Amino acid sequence: MSQIFSNLQRFRLLLKSCISERDLSKGKALQTLYVKSFIPPSTYISNHFIILYSKCGLLSEAHKMFDEITQPNVFSYNTILSAYAKESQTHIARQIFDQIPQPDLVSYNTLISAYSSCGNIESALNMFSKMRELNADMDGFTLSAMIAACSNVTDHIKQIHSLIVYSGFDSYVSVNNALITNYSNNGFLSDAERVFNVMGEIKDEVSWNSMIVAYGQHKEGYKALKLFQEMVHEGWNVDMFTWASVLTAFTSLEDLRGGLQFHAQLIKHGLERNSHVGSGLIDLYSKCGGVLDAEKVFQEVLEPDLVLWNTMISGYSQNVKFSEESLECFRKMQWIGLYPDDCSFVCVISACSNLSSPSQGKQMHSLAIKSEFPKNRISVNNALVAMYSKCGNLDDGSKLFERMAERNSVSFNSMIAGYAQHGLGIKALVLFHQMLESENAPTSITFISVLSACVHTGKVEEGWNYFKLMDEKFGIKPVAEHYSCMIDLLGRAGKLDEAQRLVETMPFDPGSIGWAALLGACRTHGNVELGVKVADQLLKLEPSNAAAYVMLANMYASAGRWDEVAMVRKLMRDRGVRKKPGCSWIEVKKEIHIFFAGDSSHPRTKEIYEFLEEMSRKMKVAGYLPDVRWALVRDDAKEGEKEMRLGHHSEKLAIGFGLISTPDGLPLLVVKNLRICGDCHNAIKFISAIVGREITVRDAHRFHCFKEGRCSCGDYW
Ligand code: ZN
Ligand code: ZN
């Protein structure tokens, strides 16, 4: 008897260690023992197998185990319920919930949290009212989940808030902490502040941390730092989470210097090697452009966890130049035996988008399918949709979008933006109307894509309607980007006066985005007088914006006002403004090749230049005239030199390489970090016709798909 007992005891311990280590193979071995009845069947043990399988993401195994339990208790139900809840499979979770003879508080909380985290507010509210009708007990968790459910719906949060006060839950610290976070996430900093201030003595460390994070989120870095000092002064226990929240304050201010000083303090406290604090530091450095510093922090951390790896992968991928490192970091993480989660995939897939590497992107897609977490993770699918369309592969993007079992607003946003950027304005608008018919509310980002779709299709009236609809129907206040689309739309339709009026009557300062849009419109219509005034405004805001000087110089040049062109160039020289070096890249045989203007570092440089020279002869025969205004070299430079410089722009080099190293007829995709230059745009039209290939160039603004001598942008960009 005692032998059996101690075996059972050992078995339980082994099973628990499998769970904590997520050791699937050992777990399966244990299950074989269990099934072969070496261990007496018990609901307790079966429940733990469910936990193991659900932790390892094997839902069907977990469910099989559950079905085999002869006498499931409420814990069995709650375990399988929570397994489905965690994977956002709310409809199955609901079916299980309905089978529970007597659901307890945990059952309710699990289902409400599941509804809440996938944004299904209505079901969460229904469940919540059911609880209240049945007079079922609720606790801080229930209310915190309800508060979380109400993100994006201010009315509901305020309703829940009054209910909390009414039912006396306002003395629960956890509930108030959730309120602070939620008000802040939804842009209501003052409401969050109010909750924090009335909390008085019940405050705990989490409350302080949440409020510091809230200030950080709202770019109130100084208030965050002041609150932190107060917290220290009052003698509160400062933990890793506090240090990390202070780091978010510096990150929000993009205050690298302050961050460095704080880093020194962390070193003094011996905290910089902590994984949680390390993540904050990596985030700070990579957002402030210091990826190499982030890397150093990463290497110093003693026990790197999944969050730390993800932050590093994401840090690399936010800095386009380090996209390769992002992929490398993702691979290393797997080598050391960590399983990537949805967050890792989202970051690494976005690195593939930055690189415009369809082959790597596809590889990540199949890896995500093969990996142990469920295939229908919305966030991963959304990232994939965005990746496919950014890599110029709109077909795969829309196929995946159609196949997605569940979609949210972000899914629609990615797809609509994809269509809009590829110049498929009508498709973008059709999908937008489908979105309105679905349960997914449009966001501020949706309207940026919708308005730019109007720009590409020249739909002025529709544009105005959508612009008004935003605020009137959805309460979304237009920001600079929306105005910029409208200015662009009006400018292209030749309604320069209306565009100017819009800029003058904007409820806030047009800022550089607004002025730049108007300047673009002036250039398109050759209105030099207005253009000069607008450029003046823009340069006051951004004296080192090279693009503005170039646009102004081009405008003078097209009007033949060469003295002014020289003046603008002198101004640029005097102010030390330099054009950001343009670079273009192309993926050939799964390898990325990067080119700068006039670059001669590529191993096949000689062939590329010879090919381009030959091409240039053919183009001239076909009627191409190099537009030397885009050469932007010294005025006294010889015409020949100007022309040669144009011929060696980075996008031309990348295309030249692409053409000599891929089979005839294959389409090419080239990415450029800046706007494509006017001469290259014209030249590529000729090239596409001469070689009979489709050449797509993704520049900093949009896609240009060149085919048979034409571009999909209709020469507007
Ligand atoms: Zn060019
Ligand atoms: Zn184009």
Side-chain angles (χ1 to χ4, degrees):
M1 187 66 197
S2 75
Q3 177 67 30
I4 293 174
F5 181 76
S6 80
N7 273 347
L8 190 61
Q9 194 81 330
R10 255 192 85 215
F11 187 84
R12 285 180 173 189
L13 281 176
L14 275 173
L15 183 52
K16 279 192 179 167
S17 85
C18 287
I19 293 174
S20 65
E21 284 159 22
R22 300 189 184 196
D23 189 336
L24 202 56
S25 51
K26 221 191 271 171
K28 288 219 159 147
L30 286 179
Q31 201 200 345
T32 315
L33 281 177
Y34 184 53
V35 172
K36 290 193 175 158
S37 309
F38 291 114
I39 299 294
S42 94
T43 307
Y44 176 90
I45 289 177
S46 300
N47 290 347
H48 279 77
F49 275 113
I50 301 179
I51 298 177
L52 171 71
Y53 288 129
S54 105
K55 273 211 169 170
C56 296
L58 298 177
L59 267 185
S60 54
E61 296 283 325
H63 206 136
K64 233 194 309 176
M65 202 68 203
F66 172 75
D67 285 338
E68 281 164 13
I69 304 177
T70 41
Q71 284 178 313
N73 55 21
V74 72
F75 186 71
S76 327
Y77 282 108
N78 286 346
T79 311
I80 189 73
L81 172 65
S82 116
Y84 280 103
K86 259 202 313 219
E87 304 306 343
S88 314
Q89 303 216 16
T90 46
H91 53 288
I92 305 184
R94 180 58 198 253
Q95 283 166 12
I96 294 165
F97 179 89
D98 289 336
Q99 290 166 25
I100 309 179
Q102 271 180 320
D104 62 5
L105 183 59
V106 177
S107 332
Y108 277 106
N109 285 352
T110 309
L111 193 58
I112 290 179
S113 306
Y115 283 136
S116 155
S117 52
C118 60
N120 190 342
I121 309 161
E122 219 162 290
S123 303
L125 277 171
N126 281 341
M127 216 56 214
F128 184 63
S129 6
K130 195 171 161 193
M131 270 180 100
R132 297 184 64 207
E133 278 162 27
L134 293 171
N135 268 330
D137 277 342
M138 53 176 90
D139 63 359
F141 283 112
T142 326
L143 289 160
S144 306
M146 280 313 298
I147 295 165
C150 296
S151 48
N152 298 323
V153 195
T154 341
D155 292 354
H156 286 316
I157 310 178
K158 299 209 163 157
Q159 275 173 26
I160 300 277
H161 192 172
S162 30
L163 177 77
I164 287 166
V165 175
Y166 174 77
S167 47
F169 276 103
D170 55 339
S171 59
Y172 276 57
V173 187
S174 64
V175 172
N176 282 320
N177 292 347
L179 275 173
I180 294 176
T181 302
N182 214 269
Y183 273 130
S184 165
N185 285 347
N186 287 289
F188 300 97
L189 185 62
S190 54
D191 290 284
E193 249 172 348
R194 210 168 304 137
V195 175
F196 181 76
N197 290 335
V198 297
M199 277 173 86
E201 298 291 305
I202 57 160
K203 271 175 209 160
D204 65 2
E205 277 87 1
V206 180
S207 330
W208 287 88
N209 293 347
S210 312
M211 198 61 226
I212 295 174
V213 170
Y215 281 132
Q217 270 177 331
H218 291 264
K219 306 236 165 205
E220 294 280 6
Y222 297 110
K223 285 192 180 172
L225 298 178
K226 207 173 144 250
L227 195 66
F228 169 65
Q229 280 167 353
E230 220 176 288
M231 183 180 178
V232 174
H233 186 75
E234 285 193 17
W236 286 92
N237 188 15
V238 172
D239 61 7
M240 284 145 19
F241 295 99
T242 323
W243 296 108
S245 8
V246 176
L247 281 171
T248 57
F250 287 113
T251 310
S252 82
L253 289 169
E254 292 188 20
D255 179 2
L256 190 57
R257 194 185 294 176
L260 280 168
Q261 284 168 0
F262 192 68
H263 189 171
Q265 266 196 50
L266 291 173
I267 293 174
K268 235 192 267 168
H269 285 83
L271 278 164
E272 86 286 6
R273 307 182 113 187
N274 169 283
S275 189
H276 196 72
V277 174
S279 299
L281 280 168
I282 292 172
D283 195 39
L284 169 74
Y285 286 129
S286 47
K287 289 217 169 89
C288 297
V291 187
L292 295 175
D293 291 314
E295 212 168 54
K296 255 183 243 153
V297 174
F298 179 74
Q299 283 157 358
E300 294 279 300
V301 171
L302 289 178
E303 283 171 30
D305 58 5
L306 188 61
V307 177
L308 188 87
W309 280 93
N310 286 349
T311 317
M312 195 64 237
I313 295 171
S314 147
Y316 282 131
S317 80
Q318 284 164 28
N319 293 272
V320 182
K321 265 198 284 180
F322 290 91
S323 301
E324 291 272 16
E325 279 82 354
S326 177
L327 293 166
E328 195 54 39
C329 189
F330 179 83
R331 284 184 207 115
K332 266 191 207 146
M333 180 181 90
Q334 289 171 292
W335 287 334
I336 65 150
L338 277 174
Y339 288 110
D341 66 355
D342 45 347
C343 186
S344 336
F345 274 105
V346 169
C347 298
V348 80
I349 291 167
S350 100
C352 298
S353 319
N354 289 340
L355 276 173
S356 256
S357 166
S359 71
Q360 309 258 35
K362 268 213 155 115
Q363 212 182 326
M364 289 305 155
H365 190 174
S366 48
L367 206 59
I369 291 174
K370 273 184 237 150
S371 76
E372 289 195 340
F373 71 83
K375 288 111 196 98
N376 52 1
R377 262 310 149 76
I378 281 197
S379 56
V380 176
N381 279 335
N382 290 347
L384 285 167
V385 169
M387 182 275 295
Y388 279 123
S389 71
K390 274 198 177 169
C391 291
N393 193 345
L394 209 53
D395 267 3
D396 281 345
S398 67
K399 265 184 216 146
L400 176 63
F401 177 80
E402 294 301 331
R403 273 205 312 269
M404 278 168 74
E406 271 184 273
R407 299 181 194 134
N408 58 17
S409 299
V410 181
S411 333
F412 277 93
N413 288 352
S414 305
M415 200 63 236
I416 294 174
Y419 284 136
Q421 284 177 340
H422 282 267
L424 300 168
I426 306 283
K427 276 198 169 177
L429 295 176
V430 168
L431 187 59
F432 173 62
H433 283 274
Q434 281 175 24
M435 180 181 190
L436 293 184
E437 282 160 21
S438 75
E439 286 169 354
N440 300 289
T443 65
S444 182
I445 295 172
T446 320
F447 280 98
I448 295 176
S449 303
V450 166
L451 292 177
S452 62
C454 293
V455 174
H456 295 313
T457 45
K459 291 179 184 293
V460 180
E461 208 178 311
E462 282 90 338
W464 271 122
N465 288 340
Y466 292 128
F467 188 71
K468 286 178 195 142
L469 188 76
M470 274 172 73
D471 190 12
E472 282 172 12
K473 191 163 174 205
F474 299 100
I476 301 169
K477 297 267 179 265
V479 296
E481 281 82 359
H482 301 107
Y483 276 98
S484 149
C485 287
M486 284 310 293
I487 294 163
D488 208 7
L489 177 58
L490 293 168
R492 283 181 190 196
K495 303 187 172 189
L496 215 51
D497 291 349
E498 232 177 292
Q500 195 186 352
R501 217 173 312 131
L502 188 62
V503 171
E504 285 162 1
T505 54
M506 274 167 74
F508 49 87
D509 193 276
S512 48
I513 298 180
W515 291 120
L518 191 56
L519 183 58
C522 292
R523 191 194 59 175
T524 312
H525 291 280
N527 188 332
V528 183
E529 298 321 312
L530 183 59
V532 170
K533 281 188 217 153
V534 174
D536 204 39
Q537 294 288 342
L538 181 55
L539 291 175
K540 258 185 215 155
L541 287 174
E542 292 188 346
S544 47
N545 180 340
Y549 291 96
V550 174
M551 235 193 256
L552 187 61
N554 284 334
M555 214 159 27
Y556 280 131
S558 4
R561 291 163 64 170
W562 301 104
D563 289 351
E564 274 110 332
V565 174
M567 194 188 70
V568 175
R569 288 201 183 134
K570 184 172 180 305
L571 204 60
M572 272 179 95
R573 253 196 320 276
D574 292 350
R575 293 184 179 171
V577 180
R578 280 211 190 105
K579 270 183 77 184
K580 200 164 119 188
C583 78
S584 302
W585 60 94
I586 183 170
E587 183 182 297
V588 172
K589 296 192 187 96
K590 300 192 179 180
E591 216 181 290
I592 305 282
H593 301 258
I594 301 181
F595 297 88
F596 289 87
D599 200 341
S600 57
S601 60
H602 195 273
R604 294 182 68 181
T605 296
K606 197 163 167 271
E607 286 167 81
I608 297 170
Y609 280 65
E610 278 167 8
F611 175 83
L612 286 176
E613 222 164 282
E614 172 69 29
M615 182 54 68
S616 161
R617 267 194 291 278
K618 288 184 191 159
M619 279 153 62
K620 280 183 185 156
V621 171
Y624 160 77
L625 279 176
D627 188 349
V628 290
R629 285 175 306 163
W630 296 90
L632 282 174
V633 290
R634 292 188 325 274
D635 291 331
D636 52 4
K638 294 189 189 78
E639 282 303 306
E641 186 190 338
K642 287 186 188 174
E643 196 185 317
M644 193 192 76
R645 292 229 185 167
L646 276 179
H648 301 161
H649 275 179
S650 65
E651 53 268 57
K652 288 198 186 103
L653 295 179
I655 289 172
F657 171 68
L659 290 172
I660 59 171
S661 49
T662 55
D664 272 349
L666 208 74
L668 295 184
L669 170 67
V670 167
V671 187
K672 191 181 178 196
N673 65 337
L674 306 174
R675 228 173 237 241
I676 186 172
C677 100
D679 177 66
C680 287
H681 193 271
N682 189 29
I684 301 167
K685 284 200 264 182
F686 280 93
I687 298 175
S688 74
I690 292 169
V691 299
R693 289 222 216 173
E694 214 176 293
I695 301 171
T696 303
V697 178
R698 185 182 116 201
D699 72 2
H701 285 259
R702 55 163 298 143
F703 279 89
H704 299 269
C705 183
F706 298 92
K707 203 177 167 181
E708 292 160 4
R710 259 185 237 137
C711 178
S712 63
C713 74
D715 294 341
Y716 279 124
W717 74 89

